[in-house]
Amino acid sequence: RQPRRVILVRLTPRQATMGDFDPYASMAEWQRGAVEPFAQMSGIPPGTVLFTFALWASLPLGAVFQLIPWPTLKNVYSFVSGVLLSLFAFGSSTYTCAVLGIFSYAAMVIDRKRCGYVVFAGSFAYLIYFHAFSASGEAWKAGNIDITGLLMVLTLKVTACALNYQDSGTIAESERNNFQRRRAVETLPGVIEYAGWLMFPCTLVVGPAIEFRDYHDWLHKKGVWGGKGCPSVWGRCALLVAYSQVFAAVHMIVMQYYTLGNTYLGADWNDKSVLRKFWELHILGQGSRGKYFFCWVWAEAACVAAGIGFSGYDSESGAPTWSGCTNVRPMGVEKAATFVEIPHHWNVQTGTWLRHYVYDRTTPRGKKPGFKQILITQVVSGVWHGLYAGYWLFFVSSAVFLQGSKSMFRWQRAHWPKRWNFVLDFPHWLLTTVGLNYLCGAFMLVTYEQCMAAWGSVYFIPHWIVLFMLVFGETFKGKRKPRATATAEVKTTVAVERVATNGDAPVESKKEQ
């Protein structure tokens, strides 16, 4: 039948090789000279090699901050080193950083009452334009990483700074929530400090997006950086560097055997059994995730080396904590028992941005957030990543997966005997880990036709299971509980929703379940 032919359409290797992209077209001769030998030896795409060199450089650049005693000099060094790092990795495209920075700072100078909304709309419009102009999704799939990733980080930074500056000038301190008080930008940042923060080299190429208030406090030894100050960073830094290499190795090993070209885009993909397809997409997803783990853990090491990754001392043990620039908790992602837990560990700082600057702000005052807010948040996340259908399909589907997971959990808590939880816990974990790698196919393939064909080749099975969970959980909700129990449930539900948007609440424990 016609629908069956659409679902099983073959994906040709021609689409996977991205032959229309010259990997050296955007590089200067000196960049090509530095990259080409390593690319030929390793088989890694030239754009990825150049990007990796820039990422490696971020750590020693961060360590130099330990040698600079004065805030103004740190700002100058941060700006100059960040600009040079961008020029090395992305060449003349670095001018886009100036465009975004000047526009955002001018908006803050001209109209404090509306600058947050102006910067949000303008920076996203500029990012969307650049996504479309550079065909970033196709280029990234071919390994030719361009400056759009850097612009994505800067977009989060300038919007957060402008919104916090707007809030501080329009909302009385007594009416602000805890997050707004903690991130408040009471006065217009100085030009040099704003430029140094914008081009901060440790997180420039992969994030996370550092809040201006955190950068300011670190620079002037306030907040957690005051008092006893930051302890020695080198032990923690070395540990993170070693940890990042584990995931780099996993990625390199898996990619030798499983790639888009010999899985989804392979000529024999549709000849394989469904179980074999799920196995291959699962391993491909695991290996692909390794490169993100490597990049973010390395960036965290760079921040720790600079001192900005320090987050204070544990109130009980007195030991130093280093979660200030943590953007991923790899084992938290891999061991997540439900879809709800994954965002709490993956791209943490971006999730925090989405939580406080999209999710909370789209929730009417006095109202409880729900699926609408989750969907809006995921759509914004999709737009931020790019215009390609694969990103939209991934994030809209993930919103449904989150809601289905929550609905089933609530039903389980209301009706299922606790002593038999393991009967449902294992299949839920299996669906979570395999379903995540299934969804990741859309993120890697990016085009609508390839995404739908890939999912259709396994008959959309995870989608159907989650839709069943959603309908079942919403149809057979638990009865209203006594007041004490209901109060506990409200607290747990709030925690679940915070986790769903990478908020600060802890993941639900087994005891709560």
Side-chain angles (χ1 to χ4, degrees):
R1 296 178 180 176
Q2 185 64 21
R4 176 64 59 85
R5 289 202 301 272
V6 172
I7 289 175
L8 298 180
V9 62
R10 288 191 181 276
L11 304 174
T12 67
R14 171 72 174 83
Q15 292 171 302
T17 59
M18 298 305 302
D20 295 335
F21 288 90
D22 178 3
Y24 297 103
S26 61
M27 294 186 191
E29 285 300 319
W30 64 268
Q31 288 175 310
R32 180 167 184 162
V35 166
E36 193 167 15
F38 191 86
Q40 291 178 346
M41 178 183 66
S42 64
I44 300 173
T48 302
V49 173
L50 191 61
F51 171 85
T52 304
F53 284 169
L55 180 64
W56 282 343
S58 66
L59 196 151
L61 289 174
V64 173
F65 281 103
Q66 297 285 344
L67 307 176
I68 304 175
W70 302 289
T72 300
L73 195 56
K74 282 185 177 180
N75 280 324
V76 173
Y77 169 73
S78 180
F79 175 73
V80 172
S81 61
V83 169
L84 292 176
L85 188 64
S86 179
L87 286 171
F88 170 77
F90 309 115
S92 60
S93 297
T94 300
Y95 81 90
T96 56
C97 304
V99 173
L100 200 58
I102 292 171
F103 160 75
S104 302
Y105 192 82
M108 294 168 67
V109 171
I110 294 170
D111 188 358
R112 183 170 189 174
K113 292 182 178 180
R114 302 177 183 84
C115 63
Y117 303 134
V118 171
V119 171
F120 194 106
S123 60
F124 264 84
Y126 187 64
L127 179 63
I128 290 169
Y129 161 77
F130 211 86
H131 273 309
F133 177 77
S134 62
S136 59
E138 294 282 11
W140 281 46
K141 186 166 71 173
N144 300 316
I145 301 173
D146 58 23
I147 201 170
T148 51
L150 186 153
L151 290 180
M152 289 164 67
V153 175
L154 296 192
T155 296
L156 300 186
K157 293 174 74 170
V158 298
T159 52
C161 183
L163 284 167
N164 289 326
Y165 182 62
Q166 173 184 297
D167 289 346
S168 299
T170 58
I171 303 175
E173 185 173 358
S174 60
E175 297 179 5
R176 301 175 200 167
N177 59 37
N178 290 334
F179 182 85
Q180 289 172 321
R181 284 191 288 270
R182 173 66 186 85
R183 308 298 184 188
V185 181
E186 300 288 356
T187 59
L188 183 69
V191 173
I192 296 177
E193 186 169 340
Y194 188 86
W197 161 75
L198 189 72
M199 300 302 292
F200 184 65
C202 298
T203 63
L204 189 64
V205 293
V206 296
I210 295 175
E211 293 273 1
F212 179 82
R213 175 65 180 274
D214 288 338
Y215 177 84
H216 176 82
D217 287 353
W218 164 72
L219 198 67
H220 297 280
K221 299 187 184 303
K222 297 180 179 179
V224 299
W225 295 276
K228 294 170 61 176
C230 179
S232 174
V233 301
W234 308 118
R236 177 66 178 180
C237 184
L239 180 62
L240 289 170
V241 168
Y243 194 38
S244 71
Q245 299 312 299
V246 173
F247 301 110
V250 168
H251 173 68
M252 295 295 293
I253 293 171
V254 170
M255 291 301 108
Q256 290 181 17
Y257 302 98
Y258 296 94
T259 66
L260 286 176
N262 64 19
T263 54
Y264 291 116
L265 302 174
D268 62 341
W269 176 250
N270 288 320
D271 298 328
K272 299 174 182 177
S273 68
V274 171
L275 288 178
R276 177 66 181 271
K277 289 176 184 176
F278 269 115
W279 169 256
E280 293 191 3
L281 67 86
H282 180 64
I283 299 302
L284 176 64
Q286 296 288 126
S288 180
R289 226 169 14 257
K291 66 183 176 184
Y292 293 99
F293 291 162
F294 160 69
C295 290
W296 284 331
V297 173
W298 185 276
E300 183 182 354
C303 291
V304 168
I308 200 170
F310 175 62
S311 55
Y313 293 91
D314 185 87
S315 59
E316 296 182 0
S317 66
T321 59
W322 304 93
S323 60
C325 295
T326 298
N327 207 32
V328 69
R329 301 180 186 92
M331 291 302 98
V333 175
E334 299 305 331
K335 296 191 298 182
T338 68
F339 285 103
V340 173
E341 294 180 19
I342 292 173
H344 188 66
H345 304 286
W346 173 265
N347 207 353
V348 176
Q349 303 297 336
T350 300
T352 300
W353 183 93
L354 288 167
R355 162 75 188 188
H356 295 287
Y357 299 109
V358 181
Y359 185 77
D360 285 348
R361 290 172 184 266
T362 56
T363 303
R365 184 180 294 273
K367 299 288 186 179
K368 182 180 176 181
F371 179 69
K372 178 182 177 181
Q373 281 67 41
I374 292 177
L375 187 59
I376 292 172
T377 302
Q378 296 295 72
V379 168
V380 170
S381 183
V383 172
W384 178 69
H385 281 87
L387 299 179
Y388 282 85
Y391 301 139
W392 292 70
L393 289 170
F394 175 86
F395 287 106
V396 172
S397 293
S398 66
V400 178
F401 276 50
L402 283 166
Q403 193 67 20
S405 186
K406 287 200 298 182
S407 297
M408 195 65 187
F409 166 73
R410 288 169 179 163
W411 176 88
Q412 180 179 345
R413 184 179 54 196
H415 298 285
W416 194 259
K418 288 186 178 181
R419 64 179 181 277
W420 295 105
N421 272 347
F422 70 92
V423 176
L424 296 180
D425 286 347
F426 176 74
H428 203 162
W429 169 82
L430 186 63
L431 174 66
T432 299
T433 186
V434 176
L436 175 61
N437 292 319
Y438 160 84
L439 289 179
C440 284
F443 209 87
M444 292 184 284
L445 293 166
V446 304
T447 64
Y448 177 81
E449 292 79 9
Q450 291 181 351
C451 294
M452 297 306 290
W455 286 349
S457 69
V458 291
Y459 308 104
F460 301 95
I461 290 174
H463 272 96
W464 289 118
I465 293 174
V466 168
L467 285 174
F468 170 79
M469 290 166 59
L470 178 60
V471 173
F472 182 86
E474 293 297 319
T475 302
F476 300 99
K477 291 181 178 179
K479 297 180 180 179
R480 183 177 295 275
K481 299 181 179 182
R483 184 175 183 82
T485 308
T487 301
E489 180 177 358
V490 168
K491 292 180 179 178
T492 303
T493 301
V494 171
V496 170
E497 289 174 345
R498 286 181 180 175
V499 170
T501 52
N502 289 23
D504 300 323
V507 179
E508 291 177 294
S509 66
K510 290 291 181 183
K511 187 175 181 180
E512 286 174 316
Q513 293 179 17

